[in-house]
Amino acid sequence: MRLRGPRAELAPGDGAFPAALARVPDPPRRLYVVGDPGALQEGLAVVGARRATPYGTGCARRFAGAAARRGVVVISGGARGCDAAAHEAALAEGAPTVAFLGGGCDEPYPAAHAGLFQRIVDGGGAVVSEQPWGRKPRPYMFRQRNRLIAGLARAVLIVEAGLPSGTFSTADEALAANRDVLVVPGAITAASSRGANRLLYQGAQPVVDDETFEDALFSLFGCLRQEQWPPAGEHAAAAGAVRPGMRPSALAANPVAAALAAEPLGMEDLYAVARASCGSAEPRAWLMERLVEAERTGLAARYPDGRWGPAG
């Protein structure tokens, strides 16, 4: 598919070539850009698992949207899961976002995201590759492009990563380029968060709530805190498990939702919660009633593997 929009080829020394990418190890010899080259500013990279859970995509939307509202360009790789959620959050804020592709810009991958890439271009952002226009993507190219995602960013935020994980290569590239690595922790029992938690163990900066993320944005970009973030409505609904506007009373009134806010649980563990909390009621009926209520109110969702967990 050929993306519609202005095209440019940038080389080191050109006025439009990002200075940050000229300083990374093995800088690109040329960048092929569809969209606005002016969007290639130092921003925040938001990356995570392709096979993401609602927790991961919710965190990607939450923090990417918050950064975009403060005028920070969101950078990612256009992949399924967390990457796409980050781009979508920036677009929802009417802000430019940058997607680095593995192959050429006329061979967008994944092909199912061609519409997303076109909206990135139409929204004042850019789709970028160091590969020539029509070059088909190969596995090794994605590792190469990760250094560009990390290199254009002042910091890389990892919202979800398992073990092993391709997300680690972006963290490695960020460290090689002397960029900060921020990580959203996950439950220690969640396979989808083992990689993220390991990065924290190795010294990455934790993002544990809204305030720590705001502090990071202030340190990196000089962004001031906002009194209400995210605002009520669409952005609050798109946030992760524990968020402003969630109504703590709703969690207190639903022990099942409170348990799922901490970590995804299978039915056996949920029955244990029910037996401990249902009193004289029949545990199965009590549990089903509260699962339905948690799903209806946007506090929980059923995952593809059959577990229940925080809704994205």
Side-chain angles (χ1 to χ4, degrees), residues 242 246-261 273 277 286 290 293-294 297 299:
V242 179
M246 177 173 265
R247 308 179 307 281
S249 59
L251 289 177
N254 189 338
V256 173
L260 293 175
V273 173
S277 307
W286 184 93
R290 278 148 188 81
E293 176 65 15
T297 56
L299 298 181

Short mmCIF file of all heavy atoms in Angstrom, two decimals, residues 242 246-261 273 277 286 290 293-294 297 299:
data_model
loop_
_atom_site.label_atom_id
_atom_site.label_comp_id
_atom_site.label_asym_id
_atom_site.label_seq_id
_atom_site.Cartn_x
_atom_site.Cartn_y
_atom_site.Cartn_z
N VAL A 242 -6.09 1.22 37.90
CA VAL A 242 -6.40 2.13 38.97
C VAL A 242 -6.16 3.52 38.44
O VAL A 242 -5.04 3.90 38.12
CB VAL A 242 -5.50 1.86 40.20
CG1 VAL A 242 -5.83 2.83 41.31
CG2 VAL A 242 -5.69 0.43 40.68
N MET A 246 -12.04 6.44 38.70
CA MET A 246 -12.46 5.05 38.80
C MET A 246 -13.51 4.86 39.89
O MET A 246 -14.18 3.84 39.93
CB MET A 246 -11.27 4.13 39.06
CG MET A 246 -11.67 2.68 39.25
SD MET A 246 -10.28 1.57 39.36
CE MET A 246 -10.20 1.06 37.67
N ARG A 247 -13.64 5.85 40.81
CA ARG A 247 -14.55 5.74 41.93
C ARG A 247 -14.08 4.63 42.88
O ARG A 247 -14.49 3.48 42.78
CB ARG A 247 -15.98 5.44 41.48
CG ARG A 247 -16.51 6.38 40.42
CD ARG A 247 -17.93 6.02 40.01
NE ARG A 247 -18.06 4.64 39.62
CZ ARG A 247 -17.71 4.16 38.45
NH1 ARG A 247 -17.16 4.94 37.56
NH2 ARG A 247 -17.88 2.87 38.16
N PRO A 248 -13.18 4.99 43.83
CA PRO A 248 -12.70 3.98 44.78
C PRO A 248 -13.83 3.26 45.48
O PRO A 248 -13.70 2.10 45.84
CB PRO A 248 -11.87 4.82 45.76
CG PRO A 248 -11.38 5.99 44.95
CD PRO A 248 -12.52 6.29 44.01
N SER A 249 -14.97 3.94 45.67
CA SER A 249 -16.10 3.28 46.32
C SER A 249 -16.59 2.09 45.51
O SER A 249 -17.07 1.10 46.06
CB SER A 249 -17.24 4.27 46.53
OG SER A 249 -17.66 4.80 45.29
N ALA A 250 -16.45 2.17 44.16
CA ALA A 250 -16.88 1.06 43.33
C ALA A 250 -16.00 -0.16 43.56
O ALA A 250 -16.48 -1.29 43.58
CB ALA A 250 -16.85 1.47 41.85
N LEU A 251 -14.70 0.07 43.74
CA LEU A 251 -13.81 -1.04 44.04
C LEU A 251 -14.10 -1.62 45.42
O LEU A 251 -14.10 -2.83 45.62
CB LEU A 251 -12.36 -0.59 43.96
CG LEU A 251 -11.79 -0.30 42.57
CD1 LEU A 251 -10.36 0.20 42.69
CD2 LEU A 251 -11.86 -1.53 41.70
N ALA A 252 -14.35 -0.73 46.38
CA ALA A 252 -14.63 -1.22 47.73
C ALA A 252 -15.92 -2.03 47.78
O ALA A 252 -16.03 -2.99 48.55
CB ALA A 252 -14.73 -0.03 48.69
N ALA A 253 -16.89 -1.66 46.94
CA ALA A 253 -18.17 -2.37 46.94
C ALA A 253 -18.12 -3.66 46.15
O ALA A 253 -19.05 -4.46 46.23
CB ALA A 253 -19.25 -1.46 46.37
N ASN A 254 -17.06 -3.88 45.40
CA ASN A 254 -16.96 -5.09 44.58
C ASN A 254 -15.60 -5.73 44.83
O ASN A 254 -14.61 -5.38 44.17
CB ASN A 254 -17.13 -4.73 43.10
CG ASN A 254 -17.26 -5.96 42.22
OD1 ASN A 254 -16.83 -7.06 42.59
ND2 ASN A 254 -17.84 -5.79 41.04
N PRO A 255 -15.50 -6.66 45.78
CA PRO A 255 -14.20 -7.28 46.07
C PRO A 255 -13.57 -7.96 44.86
O PRO A 255 -12.35 -8.06 44.78
CB PRO A 255 -14.55 -8.30 47.17
CG PRO A 255 -15.85 -7.84 47.75
CD PRO A 255 -16.58 -7.18 46.63
N VAL A 256 -14.40 -8.45 43.94
CA VAL A 256 -13.86 -9.09 42.74
C VAL A 256 -13.13 -8.06 41.88
O VAL A 256 -12.01 -8.29 41.41
CB VAL A 256 -14.98 -9.78 41.95
CG1 VAL A 256 -14.45 -10.30 40.62
CG2 VAL A 256 -15.57 -10.93 42.76
N ALA A 257 -13.76 -6.90 41.66
CA ALA A 257 -13.11 -5.85 40.88
C ALA A 257 -11.83 -5.38 41.56
O ALA A 257 -10.83 -5.10 40.90
CB ALA A 257 -14.07 -4.68 40.67
N ALA A 258 -11.85 -5.29 42.90
CA ALA A 258 -10.65 -4.87 43.63
C ALA A 258 -9.52 -5.87 43.44
O ALA A 258 -8.36 -5.49 43.26
CB ALA A 258 -10.99 -4.69 45.11
N ALA A 259 -9.84 -7.16 43.49
CA ALA A 259 -8.81 -8.18 43.30
C ALA A 259 -8.25 -8.13 41.88
O ALA A 259 -7.04 -8.26 41.67
CB ALA A 259 -9.39 -9.56 43.60
N LEU A 260 -9.12 -7.91 40.89
CA LEU A 260 -8.67 -7.88 39.50
C LEU A 260 -7.89 -6.62 39.19
O LEU A 260 -7.10 -6.61 38.24
CB LEU A 260 -9.87 -8.01 38.57
CG LEU A 260 -10.60 -9.35 38.61
CD1 LEU A 260 -11.84 -9.31 37.74
CD2 LEU A 260 -9.68 -10.48 38.17
N ALA A 261 -8.10 -5.55 39.96
CA ALA A 261 -7.32 -4.33 39.74
C ALA A 261 -5.85 -4.57 40.05
O ALA A 261 -4.98 -3.88 39.53
CB ALA A 261 -7.86 -3.19 40.60
N VAL A 273 -11.59 -15.94 45.90
CA VAL A 273 -12.04 -14.62 46.34
C VAL A 273 -13.50 -14.66 46.74
O VAL A 273 -13.91 -14.10 47.77
CB VAL A 273 -11.80 -13.58 45.22
CG1 VAL A 273 -12.42 -12.24 45.59
CG2 VAL A 273 -10.32 -13.42 44.92
N SER A 277 -15.41 -13.95 50.46
CA SER A 277 -16.11 -12.67 50.54
C SER A 277 -17.63 -12.78 50.47
O SER A 277 -18.31 -11.79 50.77
CB SER A 277 -15.65 -11.75 49.39
OG SER A 277 -14.25 -11.62 49.36
N TRP A 286 -22.69 -15.57 43.38
CA TRP A 286 -22.15 -14.30 43.88
C TRP A 286 -21.03 -13.80 42.98
O TRP A 286 -20.96 -12.62 42.63
CB TRP A 286 -21.64 -14.53 45.31
CG TRP A 286 -21.13 -13.32 46.03
CD1 TRP A 286 -21.83 -12.49 46.86
CD2 TRP A 286 -19.78 -12.81 45.98
NE1 TRP A 286 -21.01 -11.50 47.34
CE2 TRP A 286 -19.75 -11.67 46.82
CE3 TRP A 286 -18.62 -13.20 45.33
CZ2 TRP A 286 -18.60 -10.92 47.01
CZ3 TRP A 286 -17.46 -12.45 45.50
CH2 TRP A 286 -17.45 -11.33 46.34
N ARG A 290 -20.87 -10.34 40.33
CA ARG A 290 -19.88 -9.28 40.46
C ARG A 290 -18.95 -9.18 39.25
O ARG A 290 -18.46 -8.09 38.92
CB ARG A 290 -19.10 -9.47 41.75
CG ARG A 290 -19.89 -8.91 42.93
CD ARG A 290 -19.69 -9.64 44.23
NE ARG A 290 -20.64 -9.11 45.21
CZ ARG A 290 -21.92 -9.50 45.28
NH1 ARG A 290 -22.38 -10.42 44.45
NH2 ARG A 290 -22.73 -8.97 46.18
N GLU A 293 -21.01 -7.18 36.80
CA GLU A 293 -21.04 -5.78 37.19
C GLU A 293 -19.70 -5.10 36.90
O GLU A 293 -19.66 -3.96 36.39
CB GLU A 293 -21.37 -5.66 38.68
CG GLU A 293 -21.33 -4.24 39.23
CD GLU A 293 -22.39 -3.33 38.64
OE1 GLU A 293 -23.35 -3.83 38.02
OE2 GLU A 293 -22.25 -2.10 38.80
N ALA A 294 -18.58 -5.79 37.19
CA ALA A 294 -17.27 -5.20 36.93
C ALA A 294 -17.04 -4.98 35.44
O ALA A 294 -16.46 -3.96 35.02
CB ALA A 294 -16.18 -6.11 37.50
N THR A 297 -19.30 -1.96 34.19
CA THR A 297 -18.84 -0.64 34.61
C THR A 297 -17.42 -0.32 34.14
O THR A 297 -16.86 0.72 34.49
CB THR A 297 -18.90 -0.53 36.15
OG1 THR A 297 -18.15 -1.59 36.74
CG2 THR A 297 -20.34 -0.59 36.63
N LEU A 299 -14.60 -1.91 34.84
CA LEU A 299 -13.53 -2.16 35.80
C LEU A 299 -12.75 -3.43 35.49
O LEU A 299 -11.64 -3.61 35.98
CB LEU A 299 -14.10 -2.28 37.22
CG LEU A 299 -14.81 -1.02 37.77
CD1 LEU A 299 -15.30 -1.28 39.18
CD2 LEU A 299 -13.85 0.17 37.76
#
